[in-house]
Amino acid sequence: MRWFRTQADPYGDPSAHVVTVRRSAEGRAAEVAGAGFLLAPDTVLTCAHVVNDALDRPLLDPRPPGPEDIQVETGGSGGRQRRLARVAYWIPPRGRDGGAVREGDGEWLGDLAVLRVDGAPAGAPATVPERAPMATGQEVMAWHGSRDSAGYARLTVTSLNGALSYADGAATGMAVGPGFSGGPLWCADEHAVVGLVAAHFMPARDPDTGAELPFSPQDTIRRSYTIPWQQAERELSRLGVLAAVPPGSCDPDDPAHLLLVELIDRVLSSPNGRCACAQRLATACGVGYGSDVTPPTAEEFAGFLLTHPRALAALSAILRRDDPEAADQFLAVGNLSPVPRLLSPQEYERLHRHLRTLDRSVLERFAETVRAALPHLPSPPGDTPDALIDHLEQFPGDGHSADGEPRVPALLRVVEYLATLCPAPKRAELRLWADGVGRRLGIPRGGLSERRAEAEDWGRTARERSVRVRVLVQVTRAGNGRHRLQLWCDEGAGPRRVSADSVTTYTPSQAAREVLRVLASVTASRKEERPALVEVLVDRAGLNLPVDEWDARGPDDLVPGVLGVQFPLVVHCPELLRLHQELFVPHWRTRWSRLESGGTFVVDEPIDPDTLYYRLVNQLDTVRVCVAVPPGSRDGIVQTCLAMGIPVVVWDRGPDGCAHAVEHMAHVATPELPEGVRDYRANARARPPEFPGRPVLAWADADRTVPRLSLTPPQESA
């Protein structure tokens, strides 16, 4: 038996691996939405549609749910424990074409969610199962999320085709149904989880009454749609999720292993001292240990440090007071391995406790803070606080230190920047936390103070930039000069839907009146000098729609109410930004972080889009492109810029390619362009000969989210 008891018993009760996901809507907290299983003591894998159900959203809604609390129950030696979790990584349900799942689709891809649980439950490591690939013919078990002793079903994997697999239930016993989704498929032969339950073929129902139809021998019965582990692994690996999951065993080729064995033999040579240190380490990491008198071997000790991601940090905290030189040596050797994380379990838990008590408006700016503090950092795989912390823990320092001194880690630098956005009490808490981590790492006080001063300089500017209210308007053509609208309001906490439907069609005048009505309702109670920003969401064919020229004047109105004159109005095309998102979304975020200092690229003569690509692809300091060419080549140039992640593009939609508006905007600072374009539009109405242009401003704010533009109704699934 291993001295550090971190492994699950493969021959134990497999139902202990099941995590319950409960609905959190008011009055429904006792209801089970589905199931999941642990990837790590504080990390749950389930289906995205289970999270949607738990939060009372449409089942196949692809939008990230944000920092909402989700109730889960996990098992361990201390029994079942109910805890709060939140989404760390979101892999939405998607069709085979990569878009939203359409009504009637029987299969879809993605549909995974990784939840981060507050605090590691006592005894949780004993319930982290092994994983293995799914194969046709495997006999598996699935459990209802309630974990009732009789709530299990036996299935056989009958079809495995890449990302999709099917399993048929036994003719006797329980059938898979609602509440099984997201739960593990346990294969006794492999002693491992081989996949997740995704959905089930439910009995046919009358389309009018909803009642179950009489059974037919031709009906599909007891067949479930499942996600093979190898497909889940591919999806999770793209986001780097599995890099933060503890490896099952120590890699014998890990470059730090032999050095750690030698260091342990030298520093912890006394059996009593090694045993006492190992016991303290096991307790700090929340795992059991094998003996009170016999210490672990150096190989066992090193193996634990290279399989538990936070053990090395915890060991350095134990050694720092009495043997700081040894603490430094262990940290230096640990940096050679990809496994150890920056924070100890206690530091990690305290950081999350601080983040959970932050004002939501501050927490929503976490991603912005990361880009400001570390503008040259590789783009993170996700923008939730948990995903960002996972990403930042991989970077040991920011590159600034005196000779031989430890560098300030990237995460501490970000926390210093975040603290400047907080009220004084919370700012002090975050700084005390950073001071404690810095002392444990042996970072000189002056190094952290320097980063704190830099953060203060940034914070003074950031605090002055209040979050601007914006109204998002999706406009789609409906034929005969009419349009459909969907409207959202974003007051800083993300878009919230404010339109009732997307079926009604409007003339331009009616549409302008509807948008102005919403603008009046959301700005009436706000004492803000700046008018709300109107962000028009269009597809690539709608980039030149003259929405800014739509006016709401009726027979009895004294003023015209022109949208783009009364309010700053910009266009945004998420379709183009997502076209090559893996290539250019990181570029977009980098460029946006340099909005105030970045340069402008002017296109004043026709240019081939491929040539434009070669000119711009590595110019990450270019944040703005001005297009002053005739319509023939203009649209291709504009679309290429938007697809490459240029956040600000200005052009003139006029039929003669008038360059006056573009030249006029060259004298306006990039952050002030929405107001500058609005001013030009007003002058164009008042003095057309002097202001002959029809300017369009494409504006893609990387710090503000947009809603998914194609939402589908919930479908019948598990």
Side-chain angles (χ1 to χ4, degrees):
M1 182 179 292
R2 298 183 179 184
W3 199 92
F4 292 97
R5 296 180 178 175
T6 60
Q7 300 298 312
D9 178 5
Y11 301 97
D13 178 10
S15 69
H17 303 316
V18 180
V19 173
T20 304
V21 181
R22 294 192 176 274
R23 295 188 174 101
S24 53
E26 186 175 354
R28 305 167 69 209
E31 298 181 21
V32 173
F37 69 93
L38 291 176
L39 290 177
D42 64 346
T43 305
V44 173
L45 178 63
T46 184
C47 285
H49 79 262
V50 171
V51 173
N52 282 333
D53 190 19
L55 297 177
D56 201 22
R57 292 162 24 118
L59 284 182
L60 297 178
D61 190 338
R63 297 173 301 167
E68 303 297 333
D69 286 338
I70 301 160
Q71 295 187 35
V72 299
E73 287 182 11
T74 58
S77 59
R80 302 292 291 177
Q81 300 187 28
R82 184 173 296 189
R83 293 182 177 268
L84 293 179
R86 63 213 159 269
V87 172
Y89 298 91
W90 182 251
I91 304 173
R94 64 181 188 274
R96 286 185 173 275
D97 61 356
V101 181
R102 298 180 177 86
E103 187 172 6
D105 285 355
E107 296 176 340
W108 55 88
L109 304 176
D111 197 13
L112 294 170
V114 177
L115 311 181
R116 197 56 51 79
V117 183
D118 283 345
T127 63
V128 177
E130 296 292 331
R131 282 87 61 187
M134 180 180 285
T136 304
Q138 284 175 335
E139 302 290 332
V140 296
M141 291 182 68
W143 288 266
H144 189 270
S146 62
R147 288 188 75 253
D148 291 338
S149 58
Y152 65 89
R154 296 185 179 276
L155 305 96
T156 302
V157 178
T158 55
S159 173
L160 179 60
N161 183 16
L164 307 175
S165 58
Y166 289 93
D168 289 351
T172 59
M174 179 170 284
V176 170
F180 279 77
S181 283
L185 290 167
W186 175 260
C187 179
D189 290 339
E190 299 287 344
H191 303 296
V193 171
V194 297
L196 296 82
V197 178
H200 186 70
F201 285 82
M202 302 300 291
R205 294 183 178 274
D206 186 293
D208 297 323
T209 65
E212 289 187 11
L213 295 174
F215 173 74
S216 166
Q218 297 297 316
D219 287 345
T220 301
I221 61 171
R222 298 206 169 189
R223 174 161 290 174
S224 299
Y225 168 43
T226 65
I227 302 173
W229 170 250
Q230 52 266 46
Q231 174 60 21
E233 191 173 35
R234 281 192 289 269
E235 298 273 13
L236 298 174
S237 295
R238 293 191 190 105
L239 295 179
V241 177
L242 298 180
V245 173
S249 59
C250 179
D251 182 356
D253 296 326
D254 192 310
H257 183 259
L258 182 58
L259 293 174
L260 282 174
V261 170
E262 294 174 350
L263 187 58
I264 291 165
D265 272 334
R266 186 172 71 253
V267 173
L268 300 172
S269 56
S270 163
N272 289 338
R274 182 185 299 180
C275 191
C277 182
Q279 289 172 353
R280 291 178 63 190
L281 179 61
T283 301
C285 294
V287 304
Y289 53 87
S291 173
D292 289 326
V293 294
T294 303
T297 66
E299 287 76 10
E300 286 179 310
F301 207 129
F304 179 63
L305 296 178
L306 296 177
T307 52
H308 191 299
R310 305 200 179 279
L312 191 71
L315 177 62
S316 70
I318 292 169
L319 297 175
R320 174 59 62 187
R321 187 183 67 176
D322 297 328
D323 195 347
E325 183 178 351
D328 290 338
Q329 290 174 341
F330 274 101
L331 289 172
V333 172
N335 284 337
L336 301 175
S337 169
V339 175
R341 303 281 96 180
L342 173 72
L343 303 180
S344 71
Q346 293 71 32
E347 291 165 348
Y348 182 77
E349 185 177 353
R350 282 195 292 270
L351 175 59
H352 276 288
R353 197 184 311 143
H354 290 318
L355 294 181
R356 286 188 63 78
T357 58
L358 286 182
D359 186 272
R360 182 161 180 166
S361 63
V362 175
L363 195 59
E364 291 283 348
R365 300 182 69 176
F366 198 111
E368 174 193 350
T369 304
V370 172
R371 289 190 286 272
L374 305 162
H376 301 294
L377 193 73
S379 179
D383 58 4
T384 67
D386 291 278
L388 290 168
I389 291 171
D390 286 347
H391 187 63
L392 292 170
E393 281 196 276
Q394 301 176 51
F395 301 97
D398 61 8
H400 303 290
S401 69
D403 291 342
E405 292 182 347
R407 295 177 295 167
V408 177
L411 179 58
L412 264 62
R413 183 179 177 90
V414 168
V415 169
E416 290 291 349
Y417 274 62
L418 187 68
T420 64
L421 301 178
C422 300
K426 180 55 65 177
R427 187 185 314 148
E429 289 179 5
L430 288 172
R431 287 177 170 175
L432 286 172
W433 176 88
D435 287 341
V437 177
R439 282 193 299 272
R440 196 260 302 165
L441 294 172
I443 297 171
R445 179 75 180 179
L448 199 57
S449 297
E450 183 181 348
R451 307 305 175 272
R452 188 163 293 169
E454 294 169 356
E456 281 286 1
D457 291 341
W458 173 80
R460 277 188 287 272
T461 302
R463 286 192 297 269
E464 293 170 359
R465 294 198 310 265
S466 60
V467 177
R468 185 173 201 163
V469 175
R470 61 180 184 151
V471 169
L472 300 101
V473 186
Q474 182 189 1
V475 179
T476 54
R477 289 187 174 92
N480 299 319
R482 301 181 72 86
H483 302 81
R484 291 187 178 88
L485 303 180
Q486 291 191 69
L487 293 99
W488 297 262
C489 176
D490 182 2
E491 294 163 300
R496 59 180 177 84
R497 185 79 172 267
V498 293
S499 58
D501 65 73
S502 58
V503 177
T504 304
T505 63
Y506 301 86
T507 65
S509 180
Q510 292 169 338
R513 187 177 295 275
E514 176 67 10
V515 175
L516 289 173
R517 181 190 67 78
V518 171
L519 283 160
S521 67
V522 300
T523 59
S525 61
R526 294 182 64 93
K527 299 177 181 178
E528 189 171 352
E529 295 181 1
R530 295 184 304 172
L533 179 72
V534 178
E535 188 169 328
V536 180
L537 307 173
V538 295
D539 58 19
R540 67 174 75 183
L543 283 167
N544 288 307
L545 272 176
V547 179
D548 54 279
E549 299 175 4
W550 292 355
D551 67 71
R553 171 174 269 166
D556 300 324
D557 293 325
L558 294 177
V559 295
V562 180
L563 281 182
V565 172
Q566 192 157 344
F567 291 90
L569 184 148
V570 300
V571 299
H572 183 28
C573 184
E575 173 195 350
L576 285 171
L577 193 58
R578 290 199 296 262
L579 196 60
H580 303 289
Q581 60 180 356
E582 292 184 359
L583 294 175
F584 295 118
V585 164
H587 289 194
W588 166 52
R589 289 173 174 155
T590 298
R591 287 187 166 103
W592 181 262
S593 70
R594 302 169 183 175
L595 188 70
E596 296 184 4
S597 60
T600 299
F601 185 84
V602 178
V603 181
D604 53 8
E605 59 184 23
I607 184 174
D608 179 77
D610 286 356
T611 303
L612 181 63
Y613 161 79
Y614 293 122
R615 297 280 297 274
L616 291 177
V617 66
N618 290 321
Q619 293 186 20
L620 297 185
D621 284 326
T622 298
V623 303
R624 165 178 167 183
V625 173
C626 298
V627 183
V629 299
S633 58
R634 177 194 63 203
D635 291 348
I637 293 170
V638 168
Q639 292 186 27
T640 299
C641 291
L642 297 178
M644 291 180 65
I646 303 295
V648 180
V649 183
V650 185
W651 71 95
D652 192 291
R653 76 162 67 89
D656 56 356
C658 174
H660 181 272
V662 176
E663 293 171 356
H664 185 86
M665 291 303 119
H667 303 289
V668 179
T670 302
E672 305 302 322
L673 274 175
E675 290 293 345
V677 171
R678 178 170 77 121
D679 183 67
Y680 187 98
R681 289 167 179 156
N683 284 319
R685 291 288 182 123
R687 295 175 286 168
E690 298 179 44
F691 294 86
R694 300 174 68 191
V696 185
L697 173 61
W699 187 264
D701 188 336
D703 293 327
R704 308 288 291 272
T705 58
V706 297
R708 283 278 180 174
L709 304 185
S710 299
L711 302 182
T712 58
Q715 299 190 2
E716 192 69 52
S717 74

